Amino acid sequence: VQLQASGGGLVQAGGSLRLSCAASGRPIRNYNMGWFRRAPGKEREFVAGIRWSGGATFTDSVKGRITSSRDTSKNTMYLQMNYLKPEDTAVYYCAAGPAGPYYRDSDSYTYWGQGTLVTVSS
């Protein structure tokens, strides 16, 4: 699976962005899909995940502000980010991994996109 993340940019605090993760090679419905981010000086962290069966989960710091969805007809996953905060500034990565119960751990993912930078100004 090849993944291409896009949609990052500069936005003011309180604004919105929608990230896309376009997949090619194999259908994403067969995989757990995840969004991770790495903020400057910090380790990569889990943001959101969509299980192969369709259920989504989010890290606590983004609940209520960020949603994730997938369009299997376009083989694309999305991350809709609203009410962005400066602490959301990071490089965001999408990932795909084998269907299974573990999808919050980066080690559970096999394929990674190149990352897209989100910068939130205060």
Side-chain angles (χ1 to χ4, degrees), residues 37-45 86-87 89-91 93 117:
R37 66 185 180 187
R38 186 191 298 274
K42 296 187 178 181
E43 295 185 354
R44 183 169 56 190
E45 66 171 347
E87 51 263 44
T89 294
V91 177
Y93 300 89
L117 177 62

Side-chain angles (χ1 to χ4, degrees), residues 32-120:
N32 288 342
M33 301 294 294
W35 288 99
F36 291 78
R37 66 185 180 187
R38 186 191 298 274
K42 296 187 178 181
E43 295 185 354
R44 183 169 56 190
E45 66 171 347
F46 171 81
V47 177
I50 299 179
R51 285 171 285 184
W52 67 274
S53 58
T57 189
F58 306 89
T59 193
D60 287 346
S61 64
V62 306
K63 282 182 179 178
R65 300 188 297 118
I66 291 179
T67 61
S68 188
S69 61
R70 66 182 184 180
D71 185 336
T72 55
S73 68
K74 296 181 179 179
N75 219 32
T76 299
M77 176 176 66
Y78 302 98
L79 189 70
Q80 177 66 46
M81 304 189 294
N82 302 317
Y83 306 107
L84 283 162
K85 303 176 181 180
E87 51 263 44
D88 294 318
T89 294
V91 177
Y92 285 72
Y93 300 89
C94 60
Y102 305 106
Y103 54 94
R104 299 179 73 94
D105 186 350
S106 61
D107 290 342
S108 299
Y109 293 86
T110 307
Y111 307 100
W112 291 84
Q114 84 289 0
T116 184
L117 177 62
V118 172
T119 303
V120 184

